[in-house]
Amino acid sequence: MTWPIAALLVGYPIWWALGFGGLSIIVVAVPMAFVLWKRRPITVPKGMGLWMLLLAGYLVSALMLGDTPPGTYGELGTGRVLGYVMRLALYVALLIMVLYLGNLTDRELPQRTLVAMLGVLFVTTVAGGLLGVVAPRFEFTSPLEMLLPDWISGNSFVRNLIHPTAAQVQHVLGHASPRPEAPFEWANAWGSNISVLLIWFVVGWWTYGGPVRRVVCVAVAGLATIPIVYSLNRGLWIGLAVAVAYVLMRARPRTGLAIGTALAAAALVFAAGPLNTIVAQRLESPHSNAIRAFTVASTLEAATHSPIIGYGNTRNAFGNYQTITTGRTGWCAECGHPPLGSDGQIWLLLITQGFTGAALYVAFFTGAIRRFWRDRTPIGQAGTLVMILVLLYMFVYDGLVTALSLYLISFALLWRNGRSAGAPAVEARP
C-alpha cells in the first residue's frame, strides 16, 4: 500500500490548490498509520527514540502556553492554542510517515521509485518558482479556506498554509521584488525545499538515468536557476555551495575533476548573464541581518526563562530592531511584532521546547550523519548531504511545515538503504 506517499509527493500541486499544502502530511498520515497497525510489530530505526523524546517534550511544553516571558506580550487565546495543536499534529504525522516508509519492503516501494517521486516534486517546485517570477501577484482562495470559519482562516499562520500564492513580494532590494514560494507556504520554505529536492532529482535523473534523462536533468536544473536567483535567498545559495563542496570532497578524483570543470563552465556562463546582477544586488542589501539579529537575541533571552520545556508556541516581541514602538505605522513600515522563533528551526525549538528540544533535534540529525556517513551509494551520500543541510538550515529556515517532511523522507531513504546492509533497528509492539 504505497499510494499515500505517492499522493503526498506526486499529488502535491493538488493539495496546494485545495488549500492543504503542507498540512497534507496530516491527511495522508491517517492511512499510513492504518498500514502500520496492520503490519505489527513495527520496525523502528536506531535514533528514532530522540525524535520520540522531542515529541514527548512538545506535549510537556503545553504547560507553558499561558505564560508570557519578559520582553514579549500577548495572552493565551485561540491563535496560540491552534498553532500549538497544528505543530503537534505535524510532529506526530512526521513520525508516522518515517515508520511507514521504513516498514514497507523494497519490493513494495523500491528506493528508486521513492527517489523518482521526489524528482517529480522537484519539477513541480521549479514550475511553481517560475510562476512566482512571471506572475508574482497570482493567488486565489482555496476550497479549504472557504470552508473554514474566519477565526481560523484569519490567523496569519494558518492563512500562509491554506491560501495559495505564487510569490512573496518584498522590498529586499529597495524596491518590490518577487520571491517565489509556490507550491509551498513561504519563500524561505521554497528555498530550503528546492535545494533538498534538487539533490534527489540529480540522483534519480543523472546518477540512475540514461543519456536522454541526463539531458532532461541538465535542462530542468538550468531552468531552476532562474527562480533560485530571483528567490534572493542567501541561505539557499549557501546551501548549494555546501552541496557542491560536499560532492567534490566525496567524489572520486576523476569524477571530481569532471564535476569541477562543468561547474566552472556553468559559473562563467552565469557570470556573463543578467541573473548575476540580481545576486550582486542582494549581497549589497543585507538589511534583513538586523531583523534576524533582533529576533534571535530576543528568542535567546526569552528561552532562558524556561530553558527545559520552553513555552509551547511562539511569542511576539515588543517592538523590533528599529524601534520600541509596537505596531506598523505610516512612518515606520518595518515596525511590527516579529514572532520569536521565526528565523530558523533551532530558534523555534528554543522558544517552544527550550534548550532540551533544540539539543534533541540536533542530536537526531547529527546521529544520522554519523551512522550513515560510510554509506557510499548514491542514495547514501545524497541522504547524508541532506542531513548536513538540515543542520545548516536550522539557523535560517523553519522546518515546519514542508521542509521537515522532506528532511525526514530523506532520513527514511537512508534508513531503508542502510537496512539492507544490516543497519541497527528494533521492533516495537504497540
Side-chain angles (χ1 to χ4, degrees):
M1 188 176 178
T2 61
W3 67 262
I5 191 64
L8 176 67
L9 298 176
V10 179
Y12 195 84
I14 299 174
W15 292 111
W16 177 71
L18 291 175
F20 285 91
L23 300 177
S24 56
I25 181 61
I26 299 175
V27 180
V28 299
V30 175
M32 289 179 179
F34 177 77
V35 172
L36 287 172
W37 180 260
K38 298 288 286 185
R39 291 181 177 230
R40 293 168 295 165
I42 300 169
T43 302
V44 180
K46 186 177 180 181
M48 206 65 202
L50 292 170
W51 190 265
M52 294 177 182
L53 286 173
L54 184 69
L55 179 57
Y58 196 54
L59 288 170
V60 176
S61 72
L63 297 172
M64 300 294 288
L65 281 174
D67 283 36
T68 303
T72 69
Y73 71 96
E75 298 178 354
L76 178 63
T78 55
R80 186 179 295 178
V81 174
L82 182 62
Y84 173 85
V85 171
M86 289 180 64
R87 288 189 178 93
L88 177 61
L90 288 163
Y91 282 134
V92 173
L94 290 170
L95 172 62
I96 293 171
M97 181 193 68
V98 172
L99 297 179
Y100 159 81
L101 289 174
N103 281 270
L104 291 175
T105 66
D106 292 337
R107 185 173 182 178
E108 291 173 313
L109 180 62
Q111 289 283 75
R112 294 193 188 186
T113 300
L114 183 52
V115 170
M117 291 179 187
L118 291 168
V120 171
L121 185 54
F122 172 76
V123 175
T124 299
T125 304
V126 173
L130 292 172
L131 175 66
V133 172
V134 301
R137 303 288 182 178
F138 176 81
E139 61 178 295
F140 59 91
T141 302
S142 70
L144 178 60
E145 191 176 2
M146 295 177 187
L147 293 174
L148 290 175
D150 291 341
W151 67 271
I152 295 180
S153 61
N155 180 277
S156 58
F157 176 67
V158 175
R159 181 175 170 80
N160 277 328
L161 300 179
I162 66 175
H163 184 74
T165 54
Q168 288 181 285
V169 179
Q170 300 177 336
H171 290 74
V172 177
L173 302 180
H175 56 82
S177 305
R179 299 187 63 206
E181 64 178 4
F184 303 115
E185 57 272 12
W186 293 283
N188 280 348
W190 187 92
S192 170
N193 294 347
I194 196 170
S195 63
V196 172
L197 292 169
L198 174 60
I199 293 168
W200 294 117
F201 180 71
V202 170
V203 171
W205 284 73
W206 180 271
T207 306
Y208 292 135
V212 175
R213 294 182 68 179
R214 288 187 172 187
V215 171
V216 173
C217 179
V218 173
V220 176
L223 277 175
T225 304
I226 299 172
I228 284 174
V229 171
Y230 271 93
S231 72
L232 306 177
N233 201 317
R234 293 172 299 174
L236 166 60
W237 300 345
I238 294 171
L240 292 176
V242 169
V244 168
Y246 172 88
V247 170
L248 292 176
M249 178 185 72
R250 303 208 70 181
R252 294 183 177 88
R254 183 175 297 180
T255 303
L257 179 61
I259 294 174
T261 302
L263 290 173
L268 289 174
V269 172
F270 177 82
L275 295 177
N276 180 47
T277 303
I278 298 175
V279 174
Q281 290 177 344
R282 177 65 181 102
L283 296 178
E284 293 171 359
S285 305
H287 77 281
S288 61
N289 291 353
I291 300 173
R292 285 183 177 274
F294 172 81
T295 53
V296 168
S298 300
T299 300
L300 287 169
E301 172 61 24
T304 60
H305 295 279
S306 181
I308 306 301
I309 63 173
Y311 290 94
N313 203 345
T314 59
R315 297 292 189 274
N316 290 321
F318 281 115
N320 64 20
Y321 78 101
Q322 289 183 323
T323 175
I324 60 172
T325 304
T326 58
R328 187 177 289 104
T329 66
W331 58 270
C332 186
E334 298 301 319
C335 295
H337 313 299
L340 302 184
S342 60
D343 289 314
Q345 185 66 18
I346 194 71
W347 316 121
L348 176 64
L349 288 164
L350 283 173
I351 190 66
T352 59
Q353 292 184 248
F355 292 90
T356 305
L360 288 169
Y361 182 87
V362 172
F364 176 79
F365 289 105
T366 301
I369 295 171
R370 179 183 57 81
R371 285 192 301 278
F372 298 109
W373 180 263
R374 294 185 180 180
D375 185 345
R376 308 243 352 147
T377 64
I379 289 177
Q381 295 195 57
T384 303
L385 172 57
V386 174
M387 299 298 101
I388 292 172
L389 291 180
V390 172
L391 297 179
L392 167 66
Y393 288 159
M394 68 181 183
F395 293 104
V396 292
Y397 295 142
D398 290 343
L400 295 174
V401 181
T402 50
L404 266 178
S405 298
L406 298 180
Y407 297 163
L408 289 175
I409 290 173
S410 301
F411 173 83
L413 275 163
L414 277 174
W415 170 29
R416 289 164 55 91
N417 216 48
R419 183 180 58 193
S420 60
V426 296
E427 288 188 349
R429 296 179 179 271

